[in-house]
């Protein structure tokens, strides 16, 4: 993601995908390194990582020495972490894999230095700060753009893809290269419009793989065949997580993106990352929440179906009960969504997006624990960036943009997509639909009072009620908004003080107001909504 250019990200994603694709990896080991089928076996290869079994120590050490150098030539600037673990005949695969993963985690803390180092008289690439090696003449403007080695390689890869699709685009269901946008302006619609940056990943998948590995490691080798251990881990990582996530993405695109969007060239949608259960995309702002909601629903459906298929495999009966028990029946996901202009630094938006997803997942996990659920419900948390800069962490956002008077938190999120959980995303969308008929300026005025002087909010609410439309329809508009708001805040009692505009968080420690969330959705709505309202005679 370095550099902030969408076409560079597309090229980088393609390079990583091709690096870890099983067929491509097998071909490189044979053609580039001269290995044969007898020398190695690929145990797992996906999402930028792989596990390879070598038949002898000398071959393994040869690849260990050469691999980082080859990767540096293939994808300059890409961090490479590797570990070579001995595997004796007495060792089960799960124990070997567990030791190797532990060693990898330690080595991640000691990244290799980038070579060669840049001297004091070297010209730097403005976008990345790395040494410039090339002047890109394709950039518009009177001057060439100086770019570094990695950017040159990524743009070269993107150029090669003009007649073909990168692996990630194929996984997302793209059918031709013209569908793939090159700039964020093509995604947002241009003119500094808003776009949605979405990051989602699964709940407790790391815990599942850890517990499966630990359960396998406790078994004696004679209690489970090594091939069954390998097949179990491979099925969980490839068939369940990787392919299930891809299927969920495809389902979400079909359900969330209108036909006119899917028929555009390029699309108002661009994939950035699809690595296991890790998904990052950008799309036009008004499509962001719909895609996120559909993905979270499809993810749970796909994972449930594939975990059921796992239990129908012929070798499942050979898996001991102690291992079967730690594999859940269902898996869910959490997501973060950031609305920002198409010129906002992508790395900063992505950082906040990742933090919001982490918060949504943690919140869902706590709610599941208190409700006695094994699987957390799927949830999404979102924010809109207004201005030149914004926090990149949820905690900073909570202390600044989301901080109201008398310690009120100016968001009701995260919002759940499962029907039994509150606050529910459908309830928020109904408030947003009802608020379309109310004066937006008055709603923003109430939000400002929430930030500065909460005691004056009720007066402002009464005033907004007076001006909420013309005389004939005022009551209808206001009643629909009031009912939707009470339902969102779970206040259905007739005598409840709903004008307080707040509801307690599930932990009952802090009051929250979802008004900022409503105004965010109004700000990034599809302008067709405005035309529909005007056609009914209302003022936007």
């Amino acid at each position: 993601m370095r550099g902030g250019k969408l076409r560079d990200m597309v090229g980088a994603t393609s390079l990583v995908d091709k690096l870890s694709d099983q067929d491509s990896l097998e071909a490189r080991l044979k053609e580039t390194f001269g290995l044969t089928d007898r020398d190695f076996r690929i145990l797992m290869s996906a999402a930028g990582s792989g596990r390879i079994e070598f038949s002898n120590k000398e071959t393994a050490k040869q690849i260990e020495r050469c691999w980082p150098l080859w990767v540096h030539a293939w994808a300059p600037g890409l961090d490479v972490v590797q570990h070579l673990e001995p595997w004796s005949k007495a060792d089960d695969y799960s124990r070997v894999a567990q030791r190797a993963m532990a060693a990898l985690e330690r080595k991640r803390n000691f990244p290799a230095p980038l070579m060669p180092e840049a001297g004091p008289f070297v010209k730097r690439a403005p976008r990345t700060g790395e040494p410039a090696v090339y002047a890109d003449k394709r950039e518009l403007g009177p001057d060439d753009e100086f770019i570094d080695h990695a950017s040159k390689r990524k743009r070269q890869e993107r150029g090669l893809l003009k007649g073909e699709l990168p692996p990630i685009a194929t996984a997302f269901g793209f059918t031709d290269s013209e569908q793939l946008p090159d700039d964020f302006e093509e995604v947002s619609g241009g003119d500094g419009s808003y776009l949605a940056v979405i990051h989602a990943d699964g709940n407790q998948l790391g815990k599942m793989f850890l517990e499966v590995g630990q359960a396998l490691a406790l078994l004696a080798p004679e209690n489970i065949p090594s091939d069954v251990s390998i097949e179990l881990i491979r099925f969980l990582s490839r068939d369940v997580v990787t392919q299930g996530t891809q299927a969920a993405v495809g389902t979400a695109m079909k359900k969330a993106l209108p036909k006119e969007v899917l028929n555009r060239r390029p699309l108002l949608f661009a994939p950035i990352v699809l690595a296991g259960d890790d998904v990052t995309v950008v799309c036009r702002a008004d499509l962001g929440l719909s895609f996120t909601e559909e993905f979270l629903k499809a993810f749970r459906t796909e994972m449930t179906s594939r975990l059921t298929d796992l239990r129908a495999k012929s070798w499942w009966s050979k898996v001991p009960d102690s291992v079967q028990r730690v594999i859940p029946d269902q898996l869910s996901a959490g997501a973060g969504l950031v609305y920002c202009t198409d010129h906002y630094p992508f790395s900063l938006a992505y950082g906040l997006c990742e933090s919001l997803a982490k918060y949504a997942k943690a919140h869902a996990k706590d709610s599941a624990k208190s409700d006695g659920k094994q699987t957390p419900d799927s949830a999404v948390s979102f924010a809109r960036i207004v201005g030149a800069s914004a926090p990149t962490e949820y905690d900073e956002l909570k202390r600044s943009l989301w901080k109201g008077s008398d310690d009120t938190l100016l968001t009701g999120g995260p919002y759940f997509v499962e029907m039994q959980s509150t606050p529910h995303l459908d309830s928020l969308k109904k408030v947003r639909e009802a608020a379309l008929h109310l004066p937006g300026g008055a709603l923003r005025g109430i939000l400002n009072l929430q930030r500065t002087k909460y005691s004056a909010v009720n007066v402002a609410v009464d005033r907004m009620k007076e001006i909420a439309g013309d005389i004939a329809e005022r009551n209808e508009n206001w009643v629909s908004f009031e009912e939707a708001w009470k339902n969102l805040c779970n206040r259905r009692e007739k005598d409840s003080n709903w004008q307080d505009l707040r509801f307690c968080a599930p932990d009952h420690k802090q009051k929250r107001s979802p008004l900022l969330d409503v105004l965010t959705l109004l700000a990034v709505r599809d302008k067709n909504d405005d035309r529909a309202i005007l056609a009914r005679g209302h003022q936007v």
Side-chain angles (χ1 to χ4, degrees):
M1 298 182 185
R2 295 169 189 157
K5 281 283 187 181
L6 180 57
R7 69 164 177 266
D8 294 348
M9 297 177 196
V10 171
T13 301
S14 177
L15 290 171
V16 175
D17 283 344
K18 290 180 178 179
L19 187 66
S20 58
D21 175 73
Q22 180 157 338
D23 292 336
S24 300
L25 179 58
E26 184 173 330
R28 288 192 181 92
L29 289 172
K30 291 179 179 179
E31 297 168 9
T32 305
F33 295 95
L35 304 188
T36 66
D37 290 330
R38 295 189 300 271
D39 294 325
F40 71 96
R41 176 171 59 151
I42 297 177
L43 303 174
M44 186 192 74
S45 180
S49 66
R51 293 179 186 173
I52 306 171
E53 175 192 6
F54 295 99
S55 58
N56 63 78
K57 184 187 297 185
E58 290 71 25
T59 301
K61 288 190 173 182
Q62 175 193 352
I63 301 301
E64 183 188 29
R65 288 193 299 268
C66 299
W67 183 252
L69 183 63
W70 185 89
V71 171
H72 181 69
W74 171 259
L78 182 66
D79 292 333
V80 180
V81 184
Q82 62 176 5
H83 175 70
L84 186 61
E85 181 69 26
W87 186 355
S88 67
K89 292 182 179 180
D91 250 339
D92 181 68
Y93 166 71
S94 59
R95 294 188 182 90
V96 178
Q98 200 169 26
R99 292 198 301 267
M101 288 303 296
L104 272 180
E105 288 301 319
R106 291 193 297 271
K107 290 184 177 182
R108 288 183 198 279
N109 298 319
F110 303 97
L114 294 177
M115 297 296 287
E117 291 189 6
F121 302 108
V122 172
K123 186 173 183 62
R124 300 277 182 167
R127 288 190 176 277
T128 63
E130 299 297 330
V133 301
Y134 183 73
D136 193 345
K137 300 180 182 296
R138 292 174 296 176
E139 287 293 306
L140 298 178
D143 300 320
D144 298 333
E145 183 190 17
F146 290 96
I147 59 176
D148 62 11
H149 192 193
S151 298
K152 180 184 177 183
R153 180 69 179 95
K154 289 186 281 189
R155 293 186 186 183
Q156 180 187 42
E157 176 69 13
R158 181 65 185 105
L160 294 173
L161 295 171
K162 286 299 183 182
E164 63 175 289
L165 282 169
I168 187 174
T170 303
F172 269 80
F174 285 57
T175 55
D176 66 77
S177 60
E178 292 183 359
Q179 292 177 305
L180 205 57
D182 269 340
D183 298 294
F184 288 116
E185 291 84 349
E186 292 178 331
V187 176
S188 69
D191 299 324
S193 301
Y194 277 97
L195 57 81
V197 180
I198 303 162
H199 175 76
D201 56 22
N203 286 315
Q204 299 182 325
L205 266 75
K207 177 184 176 184
M208 178 187 72
F209 281 106
L210 177 63
E211 290 182 346
V212 168
Q214 290 174 340
L216 287 171
L218 291 173
L219 297 170
E222 62 270 15
N223 290 339
I224 181 170
S226 188
D227 285 347
V228 173
S229 296
I230 293 173
E231 192 58 39
L232 175 62
I233 299 296
R234 180 183 291 168
F235 189 91
L236 285 172
S237 62
R238 181 192 61 196
D239 297 68
V240 176
V241 177
T242 301
Q243 296 180 4
T245 303
Q246 291 179 7
V249 164
T251 300
M253 287 184 64
K254 291 176 182 177
K255 289 187 175 182
L257 306 186
K259 288 184 178 179
E260 58 269 21
V261 172
L262 291 173
N263 292 332
R264 283 179 60 108
R265 298 293 187 276
L267 297 185
L268 302 173
F269 182 97
I272 304 294
V273 173
L274 181 57
D277 65 315
D278 193 342
V279 177
T280 302
V281 303
V282 293
C283 62
R284 195 177 69 185
D286 60 286
L287 306 172
L289 195 59
S290 297
F291 173 82
T292 306
E293 180 181 11
E294 294 297 343
F295 171 77
L296 293 176
K297 291 178 179 178
F299 184 90
R300 184 160 193 152
T301 300
E302 282 290 338
M303 295 298 148
T304 302
S305 174
R306 290 167 186 271
L307 287 169
T308 301
D309 292 343
L310 168 64
R311 290 168 168 83
K313 291 295 178 181
S314 58
W315 44 263
W316 176 252
S317 59
K318 299 178 182 178
V319 178
D321 291 342
S322 60
V323 181
Q324 292 185 13
R325 283 195 298 269
V326 300
I327 300 176
D329 296 327
Q330 298 182 353
L331 289 168
S332 61
L337 192 162
V338 169
Y339 297 106
C340 60
T341 64
D342 52 25
H343 288 89
Y344 191 78
F346 180 82
S347 59
L348 300 181
Y350 175 76
L352 178 57
C353 194
E354 209 174 20
S355 181
L356 289 172
K358 184 178 179 181
Y359 164 62
K361 291 171 59 178
H363 186 84
K365 181 180 177 181
D366 291 342
S367 296
K369 186 176 181 180
S370 62
D371 294 340
K373 297 179 181 178
Q374 183 183 14
T375 303
D377 292 333
S378 302
V380 56
S381 185
F382 61 88
R384 178 167 69 113
I385 296 176
V386 180
S389 63
T392 56
E393 295 289 337
Y394 164 76
D395 288 336
E396 297 176 34
L397 196 67
K398 186 177 177 180
R399 290 191 295 266
S400 55
L401 299 180
W402 284 356
K403 184 175 177 59
S405 63
D406 66 3
D407 203 32
T408 295
L409 186 61
L410 299 180
T411 180
Y415 294 94
F416 294 97
V417 300
E418 266 81 23
M419 292 307 298
Q420 68 272 23
S421 302
T422 57
H424 198 278
L425 187 59
D426 281 347
S427 299
L428 177 68
K429 291 192 291 185
K430 288 177 181 177
V431 175
R432 173 252 189 205
E433 291 166 7
L436 285 169
H437 309 291
L438 302 179
L443 289 173
R444 287 190 292 273
I446 293 175
L447 177 65
N448 290 333
L449 287 174
Q450 287 183 332
R451 283 194 168 112
T452 56
K453 191 177 181 182
Y454 220 108
S455 58
V457 165
N458 285 342
V459 176
V461 170
D462 290 337
R463 177 58 182 156
M464 186 174 72
K465 184 175 180 179
E466 293 177 6
I467 62 173
D470 55 69
I471 298 298
E473 297 181 341
R474 177 192 308 155
N475 190 54
E476 178 186 345
N477 291 340
W478 187 256
V479 168
S480 63
F481 177 79
E482 179 180 354
E483 288 302 314
W485 187 275
K486 289 173 69 174
N487 184 61
L488 171 62
C489 297
N490 203 23
R491 292 181 173 181
R492 297 183 177 86
E493 303 86 356
K494 291 183 179 180
D495 58 347
S496 64
N497 183 22
W498 75 273
Q499 282 187 331
D500 188 31
L501 291 174
R502 294 180 292 189
F503 60 91
C504 285
D507 57 10
H508 304 290
K509 293 180 181 179
Q510 186 174 31
K511 286 194 173 183
R512 298 166 175 250
S513 168
L515 184 57
L516 178 58
D517 301 330
V518 174
L519 289 170
T520 293
L521 297 186
L522 290 175
V524 300
R525 67 187 181 275
D526 185 352
K527 299 308 177 186
N528 289 328
D529 291 340
D530 294 350
R531 288 191 285 272
I533 294 170
L534 289 170
R536 294 195 296 268
H538 297 293
Q539 181 180 1
V540 180

